Amino acid sequence: LDFTFDFPRFHHPNLGVQWYFQMQVFDRFRSYFAFMFGGLKYVLVVPLTLRFYRYPLVLATSFCFLFLLFHAEPTLLDLNVCACLMILSPRTLARTRIPSLVAVAALPVPVALFV
């Protein structure tokens, strides 16, 4: 069951939510949380698709953020790719209250790709 839902028994500390829940949950509830973390991202696909079906780029960006949130070991490069997808949508960028934060988050992508 642990391998099916991408919830390994021994994680090392990382940026993900699953590591935190694995440290906090009792052993008898591990399979329940493995099922919840494995299936919740797929449950949220339908409401997001119904809401953003007219905006495919926003839909792809929201899927990227959703799978990043529930990923077992997310990295900063994954977050930067999602931020770059958000930059491609001018409507989303215009509604962002701190566009400089998005620009700064996108800077490490070329550096990480060429190093």
Side-chain angles (χ1 to χ4, degrees):
L1 183 67
D2 291 340
F3 297 110
T4 306
F5 296 109
D6 195 22
F7 197 76
R9 180 124 173 105
F10 297 105
H11 270 295
H12 53 82
N14 59 27
L15 299 173
V17 179
Q18 289 186 3
W19 176 78
Y20 174 76
F21 275 109
Q22 182 188 9
M23 293 297 116
Q24 297 297 323
V25 86
F26 293 115
D27 284 337
R28 65 178 184 243
F29 295 119
R30 282 194 200 279
S31 60
Y32 172 73
F33 277 98
F35 179 76
M36 291 304 294
F37 273 107
L40 189 59
K41 58 186 168 186
Y42 300 111
V43 169
L44 295 175
V45 166
V46 174
L48 284 173
T49 305
L50 291 175
R51 176 67 177 107
F52 296 121
Y53 70 92
R54 292 183 186 162
Y55 310 107
L57 189 60
V58 175
L59 183 64
T61 306
S62 61
F63 285 161
C64 184
F65 277 118
L66 178 69
F67 285 105
L68 176 69
L69 178 67
F70 292 110
H71 190 64
E73 294 184 9
T75 62
L76 291 177
L77 182 63
D78 296 334
L79 180 63
N80 286 325
V81 168
C82 293
C84 287
L85 282 174
M86 189 173 75
I87 288 173
L88 290 176
S89 177
R91 170 184 267 169
T92 305
L93 189 61
R95 292 179 180 169
T96 304
R97 300 208 183 264
I98 309 171
S100 62
L101 177 67
V102 176
V104 169
L107 282 177
V109 172
V111 173
L113 292 176
F114 288 112
V115 171

